Amino acid sequence: MRKVMSSLFYTLDGVVEAPNRWQFGFDDDMGAALARLLDQQDAALLGRTTYSEWVEYWPTAADEPFASWINRVPKYVASTTLDSVDRWPNSTLIKGSLVDFVTDLRSQDGGAIGVWGSPTLVRTLFEHGLVDELQLQIHPVVGGGRLRRLFADDSMLAKLELIESEQTSGGVIIANYRQVPDR
């Protein structure tokens, strides 16, 4: 079975929105962690907002290795408001149940499936037990009260197990978690 892996930039207070406002750097250790993720993944899941922002940048970007990877792999876009994702090659709009689609995608042959950005999508998949690994790149910064956090105040209780962690030269903690199933 394929794994669904999410990687998010994250502040000490849980903010995931607008990392361009608070992320102070991307060091070589973060680049190495990104390369390890890309080596495992051969598909991407994106939410509507991430797709809409990224389709304006990544198809012509030269930021490697991510640009080549994201433009090459199949991209599956979760949206109930978009009519088409044809502007970005290798993109497919998910129709019908997101949970059914991802469950079916996980059962197919292939590498891991990355969820990039898309905190609302991550939250939905997490609530349905469909995120196998959650990587948080925790920056030593407080994002503030007006930016969206990964989990809402009324989120369900969920137990996580730390799989591995590392500190980058720039002070970012990269922590990989697995959700512990209810017993």
Side-chain angles (χ1 to χ4, degrees):
M1 176 176 290
R2 298 169 81 177
K3 293 194 303 187
V4 173
M5 304 170 76
S6 172
S7 178
L8 294 162
F9 299 128
Y10 197 82
T11 67
L12 292 174
D13 59 339
V15 169
V16 291
E17 181 182 16
N20 57 306
R21 294 188 197 169
W22 49 261
Q23 183 184 29
F24 55 83
F26 194 89
D27 60 44
D28 290 342
D29 298 324
M30 292 172 69
L34 172 65
R36 288 191 301 272
L37 282 177
L38 298 182
D39 285 346
Q40 297 176 59
Q41 299 176 5
D42 65 5
L45 285 167
L46 305 173
R48 179 198 48 83
T49 300
T50 300
Y51 170 83
S52 296
E53 291 172 356
W54 286 17
V55 72
E56 300 299 326
Y57 180 76
W58 287 109
T60 58
D63 300 342
E64 296 300 343
F66 194 75
S68 293
W69 182 86
I70 195 67
N71 288 309
R72 172 181 45 81
V73 300
K75 291 166 282 299
Y76 302 100
V77 182
S79 173
T80 58
T81 59
L82 291 175
D83 295 322
S84 171
V85 292
D86 294 341
R87 290 181 51 208
W88 199 355
N90 302 321
S91 296
T92 300
L93 183 61
I94 298 171
K95 299 183 189 278
S97 165
L98 170 67
V99 171
D100 291 345
F101 181 89
V102 173
T103 300
D104 180 61
L105 189 61
R106 288 173 79 208
S107 71
Q108 297 173 13
D109 290 335
I113 304 155
V115 185
W116 293 91
S118 310
T120 301
L121 175 59
V122 171
R123 189 170 35 252
T124 299
L125 294 173
F126 189 85
E127 289 169 357
H128 287 89
L130 294 173
V131 175
D132 298 291
E133 289 187 25
L134 176 63
Q135 181 185 86
L136 300 177
Q137 296 190 21
I138 306 164
H139 292 254
V141 63
V142 174
R146 296 200 173 230
L147 295 174
R148 190 169 21 158
R149 286 160 176 68
L150 177 56
F151 296 107
D153 290 341
D154 63 350
S155 293
M156 64 176 188
L157 174 66
K159 295 178 184 173
L160 300 165
E161 173 185 17
L162 182 65
I163 301 168
E164 65 181 340
S165 65
E166 67 178 285
Q167 179 178 334
T168 73
S169 59
V172 173
I173 302 295
I174 300 175
N176 292 355
Y177 295 96
R178 172 180 10 208
Q179 192 169 1
V180 177
D182 291 335
R183 295 188 178 140

